């Protein structure tokens, strides 16, 4: 019985389902914790149009999206201008949204040139958090827009499809997914 419990606990740890373990004893209550939230990967420095900031993006009543895109990607070059127009409309109309670009640029110059077209924030070129978020949200295609909650859990991993399908109304779909409490 104890061996089966240990195997389940080890499997849960491998899959990232358990929080921090405070005891090495597999029979202790601390070792057999339930799921706990992981720290936000995007905490820390983010590039904004005003420079590098260390900001908590997860303020109340702000929809947060992570845009996985590349300057060399034709689909991204088609999608990004659409999202820029909507982003500006949403924020001008009081529907608050923050987007963080997670760049897949080949050079820092390409990153800077493409970012100069965007009104939102970005992780720095070659930032290791990009790969962590790519893995966390199982990103397989570019562009991918992921809407996250204040605990950086995905509310929608295919939000780019919402932009194509419902356009300006997409933000209302995303806002409805939030628990603002």
């Amino acid at each position: 019985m104890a061996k089966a419990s240990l195997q389940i606990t080890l499997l849960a740890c491998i899959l990232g389902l358990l929080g921090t373990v405070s005891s090495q004893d597999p029979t202790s209550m601390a070792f057999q914790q339930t799921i706990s939230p992981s720290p936000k990967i995007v905490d820390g420095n983010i590039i904004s149009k005003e420079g590098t900031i260390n900001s908590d993006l997860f303020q109340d009543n702000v929809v947060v999206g992570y845009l996985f895109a590349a300057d060399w990607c034709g689909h991204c070059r088609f999608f990004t201008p659409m999202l820029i127009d909507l982003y500006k409309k949403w924020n001008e109309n009081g529907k608050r949204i923050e987007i963080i670009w997670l760049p897949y640029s080949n050079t820092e110059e390409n990153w800077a040139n493409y970012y100069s077209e965007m009104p939102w924030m970005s992780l720095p070129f070659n930032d290791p958090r990009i790969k962590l978020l790519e893995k966390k949200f199982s990103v397989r295609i570019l562009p991918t827009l992921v809407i996250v909650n204040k605990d950086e859990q995905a509310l929608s991993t295919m939000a780019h499809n919402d932009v194509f399908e419902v356009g300006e109304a997409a933000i209302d779909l995303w806002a409805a997914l939030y628990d603002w409490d």
Side-chain angles (χ1 to χ4, degrees):
M1 180 76 162
K3 185 176 180 182
S5 176
L6 178 60
Q7 289 173 333
I8 291 169
T9 302
L10 289 174
L11 179 60
C13 286
I14 291 167
L15 295 174
L17 297 176
L18 293 180
T20 304
V21 175
S22 62
S23 170
Q24 296 303 315
D25 177 7
T27 61
S28 75
M29 291 303 289
F31 192 86
Q32 298 175 13
Q33 290 181 13
T34 57
I35 298 171
S36 64
S38 59
K40 291 184 209 102
I41 294 171
V42 173
D43 280 348
N45 291 337
I46 300 169
I47 307 295
S48 75
K49 294 300 178 178
E50 291 77 37
T52 301
I53 60 170
N54 190 345
S55 173
D56 181 12
L57 302 172
F58 302 92
Q59 303 166 23
D60 289 341
N61 302 320
V62 176
V63 172
V64 177
Y66 295 157
L67 175 61
F68 297 83
D71 54 278
W72 47 261
C73 168
H75 294 291
C76 300
R77 287 285 188 181
F78 178 76
F79 177 75
T80 302
M82 291 173 51
L83 188 59
I84 289 170
D85 288 343
L86 290 172
Y87 174 87
K88 289 177 179 176
K89 284 180 188 176
W90 290 327
N91 282 300
E92 287 169 3
N93 294 329
K95 296 182 178 183
R96 299 175 54 210
I97 183 167
E98 272 308 333
I99 294 176
I100 297 86
W101 176 40
L102 303 154
Y104 285 79
S105 299
N106 293 325
T107 67
E108 191 163 2
E109 180 181 4
N110 289 349
W111 167 81
N113 288 337
Y114 197 39
Y115 182 54
S116 71
E117 301 170 19
M118 300 174 184
W120 45 68
M121 298 181 219
S122 175
L123 288 185
F125 172 72
N126 265 354
D127 191 296
R129 294 173 291 178
I130 298 165
K131 290 293 183 194
L132 293 172
L133 289 163
E134 174 187 315
K135 182 177 179 181
K136 179 176 182 170
F137 299 121
S138 302
V139 174
R140 301 285 180 258
I141 61 170
L142 297 178
T144 293
L145 179 61
V146 177
I147 302 300
V148 297
N149 67 11
K150 63 184 177 186
D151 295 320
E152 201 177 66
Q153 301 303 309
L155 298 176
S156 174
T157 58
M158 301 293 283
H160 51 284
N161 287 342
D162 297 334
V163 170
F164 286 120
E165 292 172 11
V166 297
E168 198 169 340
I171 195 166
D172 298 321
L173 296 174
W174 306 328
L177 298 173
Y178 274 78
D179 177 11
W180 298 113
D181 295 330

